[in-house]
Amino acid sequence: MRERPPSSLPPARKRLGQHFLTDRRTLERIVEAVAPQPGETIIEIGPGRGALTDLLVERAERLVAVEIDALLVPVLRTRYASRPHVTIVEGDILGLSLPSLAEGAWALVGNVPYYITTPIIFQALRSPRPSRMVFLVQREVAERVAAPAGDDAYGALSVNVQALADAELVARVPAGAFHPRPKVDSAILRLTPRERPVVLPEEEVGFSRLVQGAFGQRRKQMRRVVRELYGVGPEEAERVLAACDIGITARPETLRPEDFACLLRAAGNLPGQAATR
Ligand code: SAM
């Protein structure tokens, strides 16, 4: 089902990534994926003209919607004026403390502008984390985030996200589901933070440097990768890999987040470990 936007609304601003969802089934699938629970606050990123907000309002016990566009904020405030459980916040989602917008448990949802997708994901994966996050993002990004080890799309982004959350690509969404139509297809991505993340908060920087460094040499074998990253000889590299049960001929693209975490810890005392700290 498609709708033309009412002429009383401000025009879409591409600079703010404004491609509004007009496909009812996609909107419903996003809400089903976030599945608001009793007592939870749902935080929506970029409500825009309210297409997704209209459905969330009916399902959420408390809804906080953060919109950066000062022209849309009064439209949204008027639209939900009679719904006391809805708060419209004007601001940049990246500049806000998300947990402080919620009361207790919270989940995050949004059809997010492509240019801020990755920063939003990593912002939300900082503790205290939401119970769930559901994003409509560029299809390629969703595929990379959710790719399993060994897949062509598996890379540093997959490992860094999957170390902290389970990632699922819920559904692919064609460009025709939006108005104005974007140049790329999209997908619904659900992230469920792990109860026990693979890395501790204080290890995250070192972990992501190690992963980035390893995928910079994704075609090389791990013995060579460890030697180059840590500046050690073959025996040292083999010892570290054996401690983590990683084959010396394995390639970075086959290692799971758990393997990288083990490597980070096992390599902790190597002379060149400062390179990945
Ligand atoms: N949720 C609406 C829908 O599905 O039709 C709008 C989605 S549109 C792709 C993205 C929305 O995010 C726009 O309303 C835009 O103004 C807003 N936005 C862009 N950057 C933002 C930011 N940094 N913080 C909050 N909202 C932002």
Side-chain angles (χ1 to χ4, degrees):
M1 191 179 87
R2 308 272 158 79
E3 300 161 25
R4 298 296 301 171
S7 54
S8 57
L9 289 168
R13 297 163 84 181
K14 288 204 176 154
R15 186 176 62 78
L16 294 177
Q18 292 183 352
H19 297 278
F20 300 108
L21 254 177
T22 51
D23 181 64
R24 175 83 188 183
R25 184 65 197 124
T26 302
L27 290 161
E28 285 168 352
R29 289 186 93 163
I30 295 173
V31 178
E32 281 160 21
V34 76
Q37 299 297 305
E40 227 173 31
T41 300
I42 302 297
I43 300 181
E44 186 192 355
I45 305 162
R49 292 172 176 165
L52 182 59
T53 324
D54 279 354
L55 272 62
L56 291 169
V57 161
E58 303 305 331
R59 293 280 306 274
E61 204 164 296
R62 195 173 121 81
L63 177 67
V64 178
V66 180
E67 175 55 61
I68 201 169
D69 187 343
L71 294 178
L72 284 172
V73 168
V75 176
L76 291 159
R77 288 200 173 128
T78 304
R79 189 168 175 128
Y80 303 112
S82 64
R83 312 301 296 262
H85 66 300
V86 179
T87 307
I88 306 294
V89 174
E90 179 180 340
D92 178 348
I93 194 81
L94 293 174
L96 296 172
S97 153
L98 300 181
S100 70
L101 294 175
E103 282 166 18
W106 57 292
L108 186 63
V109 60
N111 166 15
V112 297
Y114 299 144
Y115 60 93
I116 52 170
T117 303
T118 318
I120 287 176
I121 291 176
F122 285 104
Q123 176 193 18
L125 284 174
R126 249 180 261 135
S127 207
R129 304 182 167 105
S131 312
R132 291 171 306 296
M133 317 174 212
V134 177
F135 302 121
L136 185 59
V137 297
Q138 193 172 340
R139 192 178 87 181
E140 194 213 1
V141 173
E143 285 171 350
R144 282 168 51 211
V145 169
D151 192 278
D152 280 350
Y154 188 68
L157 180 63
S158 333
V159 178
N160 283 317
V161 173
Q162 291 172 28
L164 303 174
D166 293 328
E168 301 156 77
L169 193 157
V170 176
R172 293 184 169 77
V173 177
F178 300 84
H179 182 86
R181 191 188 170 103
K183 290 198 179 85
V184 294
D185 288 335
S186 300
I188 302 171
L189 174 71
R190 177 166 50 200
L191 301 179
T192 309
R194 290 180 178 225
E195 239 168 74
R196 289 167 184 267
V198 167
V199 277
L200 300 170
E202 59 272 25
E203 293 174 319
E204 281 175 23
V205 172
F207 181 81
S208 115
R209 288 206 182 133
L210 166 62
V211 171
Q212 211 74 41
F215 276 95
Q217 319 176 43
R218 63 184 291 147
R219 305 268 171 249
K220 290 190 186 158
Q221 298 184 343
M222 280 310 293
R223 182 172 46 190
R224 169 61 56 192
V225 172
V226 171
R227 288 188 62 187
E228 288 188 6
L229 283 181
Y230 295 101
V232 293
E235 298 80 19
E236 285 269 53
E238 283 175 26
R239 187 184 57 73
V240 164
L241 289 166
C244 294
D245 219 5
I246 300 170
I248 53 174
T249 60
R251 294 180 202 275
E253 61 205 8
T254 63
L255 267 52
R256 302 160 307 148
E258 290 80 355
D259 299 320
F260 282 107
C262 180
L263 199 52
L264 179 76
R265 290 167 194 145
N269 294 323
L270 290 177
Q273 60 97 31
T276 55
R277 208 184 258 163

